[in-house]
Amino acid sequence: MSTLKQANSAASGRLQSRPMQPTQVGSPGLHPLNLDGGRDGWLYVPAAYRTDRPTPLLLMLHGAGGDAEGGLRIVQNLADAFPTIVLAVDSRRQTWDVIVDRYGPDIAFIDQALAQTFARYAIDPDRIAIAGFSDGASYALSVGITNGDLFNHILAFSPGFMAPADQVGTPRVFISHGLQDAVLPIDRCSRRIVPQLRRARYEVVYREFDGPHTVPEAIAREGMTWFT
């Protein structure tokens, strides 16, 4: 694809990378992406990964002011129990592009990270999820709905809002939120988002829990069980 077409695609929130027959050999374990010298990301591949057995992929997005390592921590300890490859990326700025301004640089970087992952690992096309916490959850909902032909599952842990550029496909959605969330209060966030999604005919699993702005291990485990 030409540079101009890639830029136009990123500006519209659309991802172009798709699962493919790997052309390189990837190994299990934790790997830096090495796509950017500053804001980069990590890929965690479970020990059980086999080239002849396509594996689920979870793209994990951190909260505002966070980084890929923090996002990865939410689910990394579950990646081996529910054999799943986890791709965690850094936002280009303090938080994700559409939250600051508009789609563009983060979409382009995510597309680059996905392309690299698809080239190295056998991914199950029926088990590709986008997930996130806080601002990352808002971005996961937004990008997931815009790219429902790539992501068939969305996991949003304590989202604040959603701003899809388009509505493509019908991914299934898992949302959780703490009753004592003082950062993104539940009444004006998930309790508004969930009915909107259901009115738009998305299948939504919604979990409220007794706690603050966080992702309890039990909630993360339920989300991974639901996804895989």
Side-chain angles (χ1 to χ4, degrees):
M1 179 183 291
S2 71
T3 302
L4 179 58
K5 285 184 178 178
Q6 286 176 326
N8 289 338
S9 179
S12 65
R14 291 286 291 160
L15 296 162
Q16 299 301 313
S17 300
R18 293 294 184 272
M20 55 184 284
Q21 183 67 33
T23 57
Q24 304 170 42
V25 179
S27 60
L30 182 63
H31 309 279
L33 298 184
N34 290 325
L35 293 172
D36 188 299
R39 302 283 291 174
D40 191 48
W42 295 91
L43 186 74
Y44 182 77
V45 182
Y49 171 76
R50 286 173 43 180
T51 57
D52 61 346
R53 186 180 299 165
T55 302
L57 173 68
L58 180 78
L59 170 63
M60 187 70 197
L61 309 174
H62 61 76
D67 57 23
E69 186 176 356
L72 180 62
R73 275 199 300 269
I74 295 171
V75 292
Q76 184 179 352
N77 66 329
L78 299 169
D80 282 295
F82 301 90
T84 300
I85 293 175
V86 181
L87 172 62
V89 299
D90 289 326
S91 59
R92 302 300 83 205
R93 296 166 66 182
Q94 180 80 359
T95 190
W96 305 96
D97 52 19
V98 80
I99 297 170
V100 177
D101 184 15
R102 65 190 71 181
Y103 288 112
D106 286 317
I107 293 293
F109 186 76
I110 288 170
D111 223 358
Q112 191 179 2
L114 285 169
Q116 177 174 273
T117 303
F118 292 148
R120 295 177 179 176
Y121 295 92
I123 302 299
D124 181 353
D126 295 323
R127 288 287 183 273
I128 300 178
I130 184 169
F133 168 62
S134 192
D135 270 12
S138 301
Y139 200 59
L141 282 170
S142 303
V143 176
I145 290 170
T146 304
N147 294 275
D149 50 345
L150 171 64
F151 301 111
N152 32 59
H153 294 74
I154 301 170
L155 296 92
F157 303 113
S158 305
F161 68 97
M162 54 184 176
D166 199 357
Q167 188 175 330
V168 179
T170 53
R172 300 169 61 200
V173 184
F174 179 96
I175 295 178
S176 67
H177 216 115
L179 295 170
Q180 283 81 48
D181 193 330
V183 178
L184 294 172
I186 192 170
D187 282 335
R188 69 168 191 247
C189 296
S190 287
R191 285 180 177 172
R192 290 186 179 181
I193 293 168
V194 171
Q196 289 172 354
L197 287 169
R198 287 176 172 160
R199 283 195 297 270
R201 306 214 173 164
Y202 286 93
E203 180 184 330
V204 182
V205 173
Y206 179 47
R207 295 289 181 262
E208 297 183 351
F209 60 89
D210 189 16
H213 192 62
T214 187
V215 186
E217 184 176 350
I219 290 290
R221 180 173 290 274
E222 182 179 357
M224 289 293 284
T225 302
W226 168 85
F227 166 48
T228 58

